Amino acid sequence: MRYRSTLIALATATTMVSTLLTPATASAAPTPPVTVEDHGVIPLTAVTAAGAASGNMPDGSARTWTVVSGEPAYLAEIDPLTGNVIATYPLDGAGGAWGVEIAADGTVWVASYGNGNLYYLPYQAAAAVKAGQATPDTSFLWQVDTDANGVAYTGTFEGFAGGSTLPGAHVVAYDKSTGRWRDYGILGDQYTYVRSTAVVGDKVYAGTGTQAALFEIDIASGDKRQIPLPDGRADCQFTYELATSGTDLFVRFECTKKNIGYVYDTVTGSWKAGPWNDYLMQRVGRDSAGNTYIALLDGGVPVLHRYAPDGTLTNLGVKMGTKVGVVTSGGAEYVVGAYGKVLQYYNLTTGDHAELAPALQGTPVAPRSATLGPTGQVHVGGYFSGGFASYSPGQDTWTFDPRLGQAENLVTVGDRLYAGVYPGAKIFEVDPTRPLTNGNPAQVFDLTASGQDRPFAMADAGGLLAVGTVPGYGQLQSSLTIYDPATGKVDTYFDLIKDQSILTLTYADGILYGGTSIYGGNGIAPTQQNARVFAFSMATRELLWSQEVVGHAQVTAAAVTSGSQVWAATNGTLFAFERNTGRQTYSKTVRPFDWDNFSGGTWQADTLSYNAVDGYLYGSVGDTVVRIKPVGQRELFVVPSAKGNWLVLDGQRTYWVDGQRLKSVRWPVSN
């Protein structure tokens, strides 16, 4: 509860500022007559399948089981040799799943994200059973594996925990025969993710993040032993995936954006193979001769390799997904790979192989970003699965293209549209007048090598593109990057505000103004107490001033208005600052927010946009659609019953995203 004392102090100071400077802001003014228009469902859809497993069922049939993300997600049963979707099973309360496992008795287990529920589908059952959450604070379960008794083991991310610091992640087990959980506890306060789990005999192995470590846990006693990483490896953030082949453990480490594979011998307790660069495996397959099948990148494409018992690694030259299993059918063995909505198989006897596209039903993708494009369209980007939806106001029509990644922000610079895509803070130039193919979108630069991950802050800085970022997992050092579309020059400035991410940028008269978050990439505690608003000179490339916003952990929106002011929003509260000095002159809470129970990981909350024609500031602040006159009495007008985010201003019309729909109002020029 780090903010309790500072919030009390701020409340007293804010009351004085509001009383002395803006006596008319005690309550919202009456809303001028506006009509909310509904422009329909935003057509962001995708088939997103993060987790999958392939194997033979008790009756001998070959099956691939995959989870398609959605509201809710569903488990799909697929014949991996024909691509036929045999059945689907809704997973009520799940947004998607990383972990899928086929137990020896034919039970299919699913470890989900969204609400962190565990599910299981008994063999030949008609519906999945929700086992529920392992702990009240679990928001993610990751990989899942089972022991010889059918008990399932998984690891958590405690994303629902309150407070300013995330707690350690748990290793947990669920016994469906008793309906009971067993909590093996945390592996250390610094390990906020148990990102991977696997069972070998009477031991469960757990991999952590955002500091990579590997632990062996005795299933019966719960005793824990930390396994030294190979070669004293200290550059890794995650033990990202674990997969078993006999008594060998195939381990994927994520190390400063590089994926590296090793093999750990659980019998001898030693590392016996690796490092393999570009190792992306979530699961591996094992044939009857004891060979293990993995995929390694070759020319940017995952290609099947055979790892023999003597340690020989052979490139088989066949494209293969990273979720691999071996199935038998008609007396032959097949390697089956899954990646997203695509399946591949490879006949180990004949060498025949094929790629299949099962007819999986797409599910809605949550909007993640929105902007007004250079041709007057409203463009919307999607979360996790990505996608690019465009609304044409004149025709009242939508178009959709799935070929854009998760755009954390979209912005128009002159006559060009840019998308900031996660992961790796990749910046793309998008031509919205033609299909997204054949070099469209075109990547213009990325910040992967510098440890940046999420480009939330993007602004037109006088014809230049300004990008502010959230760093990668376990990192606090963010960056501000200036890109010149005319020359392609990229200038990057690191840690402009010490140990704070940059969440929003706005520009006026040669100055960039921005807002920060004390939180960096997930899995690391902040070192700072309060978010900041700052000013940065584009001419000298220097920080002009930086002002703390006391009691608030992040500033999620900013805009420059008349009266030499820069306005900012912090998860429901509006502030105004003098442009030249950064002195705070105003604050008003539109919707209260409990900072005591905020631990980061949610970087987007508000949107602000100023219309110089009518002199109003428009915003979606705390999910409330508002406008305010930034000078004079500063009357705040609230659109009744209008909830949403991703506000887009187009002349006198304000668009916003309400769930999966686009809505708008047209404001009168004056009251």
Side-chain angles (χ1 to χ4, degrees):
M1 299 188 179
R2 63 186 298 165
Y3 295 109
R4 179 163 292 166
S5 59
T6 53
L7 278 174
I8 293 172
L10 179 64
T12 304
T14 298
T15 300
M16 294 176 62
V17 170
S18 297
T19 300
L20 293 173
L21 299 178
T22 56
T25 60
S27 60
T31 304
V34 293
T35 301
V36 175
E37 297 184 37
D38 190 330
H39 303 285
V41 174
I42 301 169
L44 288 167
T45 59
V47 176
T48 304
S54 299
N56 286 94
M57 306 307 290
D59 64 359
S61 59
R63 289 289 184 268
T64 293
W65 300 86
T66 190
V67 174
V68 176
S69 301
E71 298 293 339
Y74 65 87
L75 175 66
E77 179 183 1
I78 305 168
D79 183 329
L81 304 181
T82 66
N84 291 333
V85 178
I86 296 165
T88 60
Y89 307 86
L91 301 172
D92 180 47
W98 199 267
V100 181
E101 172 67 18
I102 307 168
D105 65 356
T107 300
V108 180
W109 291 88
V110 174
S112 78
Y113 53 76
N115 290 311
N117 290 309
L118 182 69
Y119 301 81
Y120 63 93
L121 178 70
Y123 179 55
Q124 294 185 332
V129 178
K130 182 195 290 186
Q133 292 176 294
T135 74
D137 292 331
T138 298
S139 62
F140 263 69
L141 295 177
W142 296 98
Q143 286 187 294
V144 60
D145 201 0
T146 56
D147 66 15
N149 297 316
V151 177
Y153 300 82
T154 186
T156 77
F157 173 69
E158 302 290 293
F160 292 149
S164 60
T165 304
L166 285 169
H170 294 243
V171 177
V172 293
Y174 182 80
D175 187 340
K176 65 182 176 66
S177 68
T178 64
R180 293 179 179 176
W181 288 94
R182 178 179 178 182
D183 189 348
Y184 286 89
I186 67 172
L187 302 173
D189 291 335
Q190 69 273 39
Y191 303 121
T192 52
Y193 290 76
V194 171
R195 188 61 183 74
S196 50
T197 49
V199 176
V200 179
D202 59 359
K203 302 292 192 298
V204 57
Y205 293 85
T208 67
T210 59
Q211 295 181 36
L214 180 62
F215 289 84
E216 179 187 85
I217 303 172
D218 185 277
I219 288 174
S221 69
D223 291 342
K224 303 177 180 71
R225 178 179 71 89
Q226 186 169 358
I227 298 170
L229 299 190
D231 306 326
R233 189 129 219 154
D235 61 335
C236 302
Q237 291 77 49
F238 282 93
T239 306
Y240 205 82
E241 311 281 10
L242 297 175
T244 59
S245 177
T247 56
D248 285 341
L249 199 62
F250 284 70
V251 185
R252 170 187 169 190
F253 293 106
E254 187 180 84
C255 312
T256 316
K257 294 300 175 183
K258 296 179 181 178
N259 293 284
I260 302 172
Y262 290 86
V263 180
Y264 178 74
D265 188 328
T266 65
V267 175
T268 64
S270 61
W271 297 95
K272 69 178 189 180
W276 298 322
N277 291 325
D278 297 322
Y279 175 87
L280 301 175
M281 299 307 296
Q282 189 180 80
R283 305 183 63 86
V284 302
R286 182 180 176 88
D287 67 16
S288 57
N291 297 301
T292 304
Y293 295 88
I294 64 173
L296 300 174
L297 286 185
D298 186 351
V301 176
V303 173
L304 186 65
H305 289 65
R306 180 178 60 238
Y307 176 77
D310 64 2
T312 302
L313 186 66
T314 304
N315 186 336
L316 299 178
V318 176
K319 181 180 178 182
M320 187 63 57
T322 57
K323 306 167 187 69
V324 167
V326 172
V327 302
T328 59
S329 180
E333 287 186 298
Y334 297 81
V335 179
V336 174
Y339 184 80
K341 60 184 178 181
V342 175
L343 293 178
Q344 299 96 2
Y345 70 75
Y346 175 77
N347 187 312
L348 290 175
T349 302
T350 67
D352 292 340
H353 56 90
E355 183 168 284
L356 307 170
L360 295 166
Q361 182 177 356
T363 55
V365 171
R368 183 70 163 182
S369 52
T371 197
L372 185 69
T375 61
Q377 293 179 306
V378 177
H379 302 293
V380 184
Y383 172 67
F384 196 75
S385 306
F388 185 67
S390 301
Y391 174 72
S392 298
Q395 291 75 39
D396 192 30
T397 57
W398 284 96
T399 59
F400 170 68
D401 198 306
R403 289 165 291 191
L404 181 69
Q406 178 179 313
E408 307 287 41
N409 206 345
L410 298 163
V411 69
T412 297
V413 178
D415 61 354
R416 308 181 191 211
L417 178 67
Y418 292 93
V421 173
Y422 165 87
K426 299 177 179 66
I427 310 302
F428 291 87
E429 183 178 311
V430 184
D431 182 351
T433 66
R434 62 187 184 90
L436 301 191
T437 186
N438 297 326
N440 182 36
Q443 183 172 321
V444 292
F445 68 93
D446 73 81
L447 299 167
T448 305
S450 59
Q452 304 305 303
D453 223 14
R454 302 177 187 269
F456 282 118
M458 299 177 70
D460 181 346
L464 305 178
L465 172 65
V467 179
T469 57
V470 173
Y473 290 91
Q475 307 296 315
L476 287 171
Q477 187 185 74
S478 70
S479 69
L480 171 66
T481 297
I482 310 299
Y483 168 71
D484 187 340
T487 65
K489 185 180 180 183
V490 177
D491 295 315
T492 301
Y493 307 88
F494 295 102
D495 223 15
L496 194 66
I497 306 296
K498 180 176 174 54
D499 288 353
Q500 299 205 21
S501 301
I502 299 175
L503 297 188
T504 182
L505 291 170
T506 189
Y507 171 84
D509 304 324
I511 308 297
L512 265 176
Y513 301 90
T516 70
S517 170
I518 67 172
Y519 294 95
N522 279 335
I524 187 170
T527 64
Q528 308 299 301
Q529 295 294 315
N530 300 297
R532 290 180 173 266
V533 174
F534 67 87
F536 178 84
S537 170
M538 290 293 292
T540 65
R541 303 294 172 94
E542 293 176 331
L543 191 67
L544 299 177
W545 54 258
S546 169
Q547 177 65 51
E548 278 191 307
V549 187
V550 178
H552 294 250
Q554 62 185 30
V555 175
T556 57
V560 176
T561 72
S562 58
S564 296
Q565 299 173 100
V566 57
W567 285 69
T570 67
N571 289 53
T573 299
L574 278 169
F575 292 89
F577 304 85
E578 290 182 346
R579 283 178 59 183
N580 292 333
T581 66
R583 184 178 72 90
Q584 181 186 321
T585 61
Y586 171 88
S587 75
K588 179 171 182 61
T589 297
V590 177
R591 187 191 70 177
F593 184 81
D594 184 7
W595 291 106
D596 285 351
N597 289 308
F598 181 71
S599 56
T602 304
W603 297 278
Q604 299 165 303
D606 308 296
T607 317
L608 295 176
S609 186
Y610 177 64
N611 188 344
V613 174
D614 65 9
Y616 279 97
L617 176 69
Y618 296 84
S620 54
V621 181
D623 291 336
T624 302
V625 180
V626 303
R627 82 168 182 174
I628 188 171
K629 199 76 168 179
V631 294
Q633 297 299 307
R634 290 167 166 159
E635 301 94 344
L636 179 71
F637 300 98
V638 177
V639 180
S641 303
K643 300 294 181 183
N645 210 325
W646 323 124
L647 179 141
V648 174
L649 184 62
D650 182 9
Q652 290 306 123
R653 186 175 292 280
T654 299
Y655 294 92
W656 69 91
V657 174
D658 183 351
Q660 206 72 24
R661 308 185 75 87
L662 183 69
K663 296 183 179 179
S664 74
V665 297
R666 182 180 293 279
W667 294 87
V669 174
S670 60
N671 298 337

